Amino acid sequence: MALACLADSVVILTDEVQLDAFMTNYAEDTKHHKPLFVLSGGSNVLLPAKLNAIVLRPQMRGIKVIAQTDAYIDIEVMAGENWHDLVVYTVTKGWYGLENLALIPGLTGAAPIQNIGAYGMQLEDCLQSVRAYHLPSRTWHDLSAVDCEFDYRDSMFKRQPNTWLISRVGFRLHTDATKVRASYGDVQIVAQDYAAQHGRSKPTPADVMHAIIEIRQQKLPDPKHLPNCGSFFQNPIIPQAQFTALQSYYPTIVGYPMPDAMTKVAAGWLIEQAGLKGGGIAPIVTHQQQALVLTNHAPYIATKQDVAAAQKYIADTIYEKFAIQLSREPVWVNTNGSIGYKEHVV
Ligand code: EPU
């Protein structure tokens, strides 16, 4: 979101042994204890102007093949690998499964935290394992996908802030070029077009990846040019009965059925219908092509409070109009490095 932030100190970690060494010193130095804060790529955090914490930055690199058969390939990826580069690398190698998650900003180590998802897939669909360091007990843990307790935009890592540092993520990918997930919205049409242009009757995983890159580039602002942290709000999950009642007033409302008689509502639709596409409180306003994304038009000058003001204004407007409470998606970091989880008003 390009908010200026000055931290007490930053420790760059390029291997796991460095973390062990740092934590041993940290545990012994009880006099100067500052809180620890783990920062990955920084694409989904809202940082304070002054961060009174020691920032740990996992930047271990490397991609290793762990096992391979004709049907699948298991890889282990170090936390500091750029996520989009990993997607392109795997698809180019003919290892499929991550293609729908192309162009999501950030590093691989942060991907499990909020179980990144887009275009009909979530990280948990391919994830096999996570190696993570438990900061309070100073121990390493090899976790399975079940241990991670994934949910929509959520995991046990997100529910236990400042507790885990992820160093490796393991994936099981497949080699079947006919197996694609292309049923989400525009993806089907754009991927089919892309395949046809290249003389193929059906899209391959690479065609799906290219289609998704094209769709994202059209709809979503590039954080390098217009700072943003992707979807700012989660899509709210409301009772099916409330959704049906809203549908009678707003026949075009967009929702997806969920288990337990619930419906996930497209927050972008709600914001647009409330007349807030391009609206907010300057310099933080919603994006013209995708109202779910808040953009910062004053990089390094705007503060977290500016973001909070825009968040409150948008969330209050939506609540008044639809009686639906929006929850923030990016992580809210306090001056002492603690994390404000999911609150509506900050
Ligand atoms: N819509 C509007 N107006 C808008 C935005 C969306 O009417 O301004 C409608 C669309 O027409 C569509 C529906 O809302 O019918 C859903 O829109 P879209 O397909 O763009 O997806 P989304 O629900 O708004 C989610 C993820 C995105 C992900 C897309 C595609 C969340 C919070 N966001 O957005 O993730 O790229 O689906 O799968 O679940 C991100 O997390 O940073 C992110 C961009």
Side-chain angles (χ1 to χ4, degrees):
M1 200 81 185
L3 306 174
C5 173
L6 191 64
D8 278 346
S9 57
V10 177
V11 179
I12 308 277
L13 300 164
T14 53
D15 64 41
E16 291 169 349
V17 178
Q18 267 179 334
L19 178 59
D20 282 318
F22 169 81
M23 288 305 291
T24 305
N25 288 335
Y26 179 78
E28 282 164 6
D29 181 16
T30 46
K31 256 214 243 136
H32 300 104
H33 252 192
K34 292 265 180 192
L36 298 175
F37 177 74
V38 183
L39 181 68
S40 185
S43 55
N44 207 43
V45 290
L46 299 167
L47 294 166
K50 178 76 182 82
L51 180 54
N52 296 321
I54 302 172
V55 178
L56 299 177
R57 304 215 60 188
Q59 294 192 357
M60 307 85 169
R61 305 292 301 270
I63 302 171
K64 216 164 46 180
V65 175
I66 302 294
Q68 191 162 13
T69 69
D70 284 347
Y72 67 80
I73 176 142
D74 290 343
I75 59 168
E76 191 174 66
V77 184
M78 300 306 286
E81 291 293 336
N82 175 280
W83 176 260
H84 176 66
D85 292 349
L86 171 69
V87 174
V88 174
Y89 174 80
T90 54
V91 170
T92 310
K93 284 277 203 186
W95 307 338
Y96 306 126
L98 302 180
E99 51 280 357
N100 291 43
L101 302 179
L103 222 58
I104 294 183
L107 304 181
T108 303
I113 309 277
Q114 67 151 343
N115 187 20
I116 58 170
Y119 305 104
M121 122 156 242
Q122 304 190 92
L123 188 79
E124 64 179 301
D125 301 338
C126 279
L127 184 138
Q128 275 230 302
S129 62
V130 170
R131 182 160 165 76
Y133 188 86
H134 187 251
L135 294 162
S137 63
R138 292 193 284 132
T139 48
W140 287 100
H141 296 255
D142 289 308
L143 305 166
S144 68
V146 173
D147 296 332
C148 299
E149 296 171 17
F150 289 121
D151 205 342
Y152 165 61
R153 291 292 195 274
D154 205 12
S155 72
M156 72 94 174
F157 304 111
K158 194 167 173 184
R159 291 191 291 274
Q160 297 176 25
N162 288 332
T163 304
W164 297 94
L165 183 148
I166 294 175
S167 71
R168 308 178 193 193
V169 187
F171 300 97
R172 172 157 292 185
L173 306 177
H174 68 88
T175 52
D176 181 354
T178 64
K179 212 166 98 188
V180 294
R181 291 179 210 228
S183 55
Y184 186 97
D186 308 347
V187 177
Q188 199 160 15
I189 300 157
V190 182
Q192 192 65 49
D193 276 2
Y194 195 88
Q197 280 165 29
H198 293 82
R200 288 184 281 277
S201 59
K202 278 180 69 190
T204 62
D207 295 333
V208 170
M209 180 180 78
H210 287 293
I212 284 170
I213 291 173
E214 203 177 303
I215 294 168
R216 287 189 76 104
Q217 281 173 338
Q218 270 170 20
K219 271 206 202 163
L220 298 171
D222 181 343
K224 282 196 209 102
H225 301 124
L226 181 54
N228 70 87
C229 37
S231 299
F232 190 85
F233 295 103
Q234 297 191 11
N235 286 329
I237 297 173
I238 64 169
Q240 168 68 44
Q242 185 186 356
F243 182 75
T244 310
L246 281 167
Q247 239 176 349
S248 57
Y249 286 102
Y250 306 103
T252 61
I253 189 169
V254 180
Y256 315 93
M258 299 288 283
D260 305 324
M262 304 294 279
T263 299
K264 183 153 80 178
V265 185
W269 184 94
L270 299 174
I271 296 169
E272 181 169 348
Q273 294 303 308
L276 290 176
K277 206 168 196 177
I281 297 184
I284 309 296
V285 296
T286 69
H287 188 54
Q288 285 291 355
Q289 271 75 46
Q290 170 41 299
L292 196 51
V293 176
L294 259 63
T295 54
N296 175 5
H297 290 259
Y300 307 108
I301 296 172
T303 65
K304 222 173 49 147
Q305 280 60 41
D306 293 319
V307 179
Q311 171 187 331
K312 182 167 170 9
Y313 171 62
I314 295 165
D316 286 353
T317 307
I318 297 304
Y319 190 75
E320 269 167 37
K321 192 168 168 67
F322 300 105
I324 293 178
Q325 192 82 73
L326 292 183
S327 299
R328 184 182 56 232
E329 195 210 64
V331 173
W332 181 269
V333 184
N334 296 313
T335 301
N336 64 358
S338 66
I339 285 170
Y341 178 60
K342 271 200 176 173
E343 319 91 317
H344 158 50
V345 181
V346 284

